[in-house]
Every structure is written in structure tokens, then in C-alpha cells.
Amino acid sequence: EMESAEHKVTTAQWMGPKAASLGLTGDVEQAKFKQLFYGYLPGTSQRIRGDRKHGQENLAVDCTLSAPKSFSMHALTDLRLYDVHMEACRRTQAELDQRYGFQRKFIDGKQVNVMGDGLIVAAIPHWTSREDDMMLHTHLVIFNGVQGPDGKWRAFDDRQFSYAEWAGSFYRNELAKLTQE
């Protein structure tokens, strides 16, 4: 059981309904992560965003959700708190889906945002900060690609994520509610 507990708290997991609909569940496999990162559905040559025409391609967005230090310390010895952390991450990811799951589409030369059917997310947990302090946090790696209502894949409007400062507060609020429950 110790090995499964260690695996649980140190292994990246696919997150969200869009990932699940693509068969991406459970542990993140490096090859599939890399394919998505570079803009392809795993095991295919199908792009999840348009071909890069010029400049640098935006590959993904990293939304980092960090638990308070006191929570992190307690989560080391009570893995129920790790589960609470991950549920707060899932709820935050669902909110990100609703607020930013739009694809960028050009109609008559003008950019419009069209609601897609979900973001593809890999959740990567860490237990320490860069300074090696105890800090439970999870990186939600959101791959740049959204499937629209027409079935076509396009990039999302990554500028929208610059407004996502609320995500950390939303996560901590969900973490507090779930901990009290």
C-alpha cells in the first residue's frame, strides 16, 4: 500500500472530461504528453491547433495551484488531505474549462472566440518549492488546442489566461470548503 500511496502523490494524472473523451485517463505517459505539447493528438498526425505559420508557437499554459504551507505539512501524514487538494484542482480545472475553453477562429478576417468542448489537461503534483520548502502544488498543464462545435481543432485564445489570476483564489477557496467538509 505504501508504494501505491507514493505513486498516487508523485505521478502526473490526466484531468478533465476532454482528456477522458480522448482516452487519456490515469497516469500521464511521457510520449502522449510530448505529442500533445507539440500539437498532435496522441498516436496520430492530427493537429490540435493550426499549423504554425510564423513566429513562436504557444504550446501550453501552466496554471500552478499551491496549497498553504500548513496544509502541505499535514498532507504529508494524512493523504486524505492530498485527495482534497486534487479535488480542489479538479474543480478549478472545470472552472477554467468554462471560462477559457474557447478556440480562436477567424471569420471574415476578424478573430472571434467560439466555445470548444473542453481543455486537455495534465495535472503534475509537486511537494516542494524551488527553495526546497514544503509546498504541495500541482501544475495544470493546459495544452493549446480546443475542438470546436464543427469538430475542427484550433488554438485557444491564450491571452485569456493572463486574466486567470482568480484561479489561485478559487482553488484555495475550494480547498478550504473541502477541508472543512
Side-chain angles (χ1 to χ4, degrees):
E1 181 166 319
M2 182 59 178
E3 185 178 336
S4 66
E6 183 178 335
H7 177 85
K8 171 181 168 177
V9 301
T10 59
T11 304
Q13 299 289 313
W14 295 109
M15 185 175 281
K18 184 58 183 179
S21 76
L22 295 171
L24 302 171
T25 59
D27 297 355
V28 171
E29 296 171 43
Q30 184 178 9
K32 290 180 180 178
F33 182 96
K34 190 174 179 179
Q35 285 178 304
L36 284 163
F37 196 68
Y38 289 110
Y40 296 92
L41 286 177
T44 75
S45 60
Q46 183 177 0
R47 297 277 294 167
I48 62 170
R49 54 186 174 264
D51 288 325
R52 183 170 52 106
K53 292 177 178 53
H54 52 73
Q56 204 169 23
E57 183 175 36
N58 293 322
L59 307 175
V61 172
D62 177 10
C63 179
T64 305
L65 304 173
S66 302
K69 188 170 186 169
S70 58
F71 183 95
S72 300
M73 298 295 287
H74 289 293
L76 268 179
T77 56
D78 186 348
L79 289 183
R80 295 176 302 168
L81 292 175
Y82 178 79
D83 293 337
V84 164
H85 162 74
M86 290 308 293
E87 179 58 26
C89 288
R90 277 188 282 285
R91 290 181 180 189
T92 304
Q93 183 273 321
E95 191 66 21
L96 287 164
D97 251 2
Q98 292 301 309
R99 293 188 188 198
Y100 302 114
F102 294 89
Q103 61 177 205
R104 199 172 48 212
K105 186 174 180 178
F106 289 89
I107 299 174
D108 296 327
K110 190 173 186 179
Q111 181 180 319
V112 295
N113 287 339
V114 178
M115 186 57 148
D117 70 348
L119 302 169
I120 306 170
V121 179
I124 305 171
H126 290 114
W127 285 87
T128 57
S129 70
R130 289 187 180 132
E131 291 78 35
D132 227 15
D133 288 334
M134 178 55 57
M135 185 177 81
L136 174 60
H137 63 285
T138 294
H139 296 268
L140 299 184
V141 178
I142 305 165
F143 298 97
N144 185 8
V146 177
Q147 192 173 23
D150 60 2
K152 293 185 179 177
W153 288 85
R154 294 180 185 86
F156 53 57
D157 185 0
D158 58 326
R159 296 171 298 177
Q160 295 297 315
F161 284 94
S162 65
Y163 304 118
E165 293 175 5
W166 60 268
S169 297
F170 182 91
Y171 157 79
R172 285 186 295 283
N173 187 49
E174 292 301 309
L175 186 72
K177 287 191 304 192
L178 289 162
T179 301
Q180 290 173 358
E181 290 171 7

